[in-house]
Structure formats: C-alpha cells, structure tokens
Amino acid sequence: MTAQKRTLRHLLICAYTLLIYAGLFATALIKANGNTYDGAHSLIYLIYALPILSAVGGILSYKLTERLLVPAVLQLVTGYVVCPLLLLLVYEWGIDFGEDVTHIFVAAPIAAVIFVIFSCIAKLVHMLWKKHKPCKTDE
C-alpha cells in the first residue's frame, strides 16, 4: 500500500469518528434549542447509536488498514482533540449545552474501546476465514 493510500484511509477513519461525535453534538443541540426531554436524545444516542456506530467503525477500520493499534489511536486522538476544539467553537457561538457537554468526554473512551474490540473481532474472523477457506482444486 502506498503512503498516499494509507494516509487517505487514516483520514477516512478520522472522518468517520467525527461523524460519530457529530451525532452526539446534534442530540445536545436538540436539547439546547428548547426541546427538553430530560436528556433522552443523548441517552438514546449513547446507549444505542454510539455502540453500533463504533462497532461498524472498528470493522471498517480493520478492513481499511488491516491493523489494530493505529486506527484505535487515530480514533481516540480524534475524540479527545477535535471534539473539545469543536466545543470551544460552539461556546464561541453562544450555544449552551449544559450538562450534555460532559457526554462527549464519556463517549470518547467508550467509543475507542468498542472500536478496538470490534477491530479485534474483525481480525479474528479474517484469520479464521483465511485458515478455513476451502482450497481451489483444479478440475
């Protein structure tokens, strides 16, 4: 794999991670705009959507890079660096998230762990598939 393809794949992992956190920001914005459901949007996102999106991200990251550590580090760095910077930008716009802001700091490590777990599962399935793949016979 060329360096350009590797860089593009790493950027895709970062973009997917940003999309995961964009959903969390969207749920916080729903509450900030006056639709108060006692944080139900954020909790539904954290309980249902975040694990599913992280699992899909873990599988895709392994399929893109065929590595475990690099995609997980990219995902964690993206979560802990970019998301707080976005929060600062949103605060500059004057939007008050209230306590939903803390969910992003809880979601980043949870998503990273799920990312790694499903990357490992994808690697295991890939290795088992290669091992038990039927041999092609000449007919």
Side-chain angles (χ1 to χ4, degrees):
M1 181 180 343
T2 65
Q4 185 178 11
K5 282 185 180 181
R6 187 179 310 122
T7 303
L8 178 64
R9 290 176 179 188
H10 290 165
L11 288 175
L12 283 172
I13 293 168
C14 291
Y16 186 80
T17 303
L18 288 176
L19 286 175
I20 290 173
Y21 294 121
L24 190 59
F25 280 117
T27 59
L29 279 174
I30 288 171
K31 186 176 178 184
N33 287 332
N35 298 330
T36 56
Y37 295 105
D38 296 329
H41 293 97
S42 295
L43 288 177
I44 289 172
Y45 186 82
L46 285 173
I47 293 170
Y48 295 108
L50 181 71
I52 292 169
L53 292 173
S54 296
V56 169
I59 293 168
L60 289 176
S61 68
Y62 178 74
K63 293 304 282 180
L64 286 174
T65 62
E66 294 189 0
R67 293 185 178 175
L68 296 176
L69 186 62
V70 173
V73 169
L74 282 173
Q75 196 270 343
L76 193 62
V77 166
T78 303
Y80 274 117
V81 172
V82 175
C83 291
L85 291 177
L86 288 174
L87 285 175
L88 289 174
L89 181 65
V90 168
Y91 276 133
E92 287 296 318
W93 289 339
I95 299 172
D96 183 22
F97 283 113
E99 65 186 36
D100 286 342
V101 140
T102 58
H103 290 181
I104 198 69
F105 297 106
V106 173
I110 291 171
V113 168
I114 295 171
F115 231 73
V116 171
I117 289 170
F118 277 90
S119 291
C120 292
I121 290 171
K123 181 176 183 168
L124 179 65
V125 167
H126 187 257
M127 286 181 353
L128 289 173
W129 178 259
K130 278 187 171 181
K131 184 178 179 182
H132 296 294
K133 188 176 171 182
C135 298
K136 293 182 181 179
T137 58
D138 295 329
E139 295 181 5

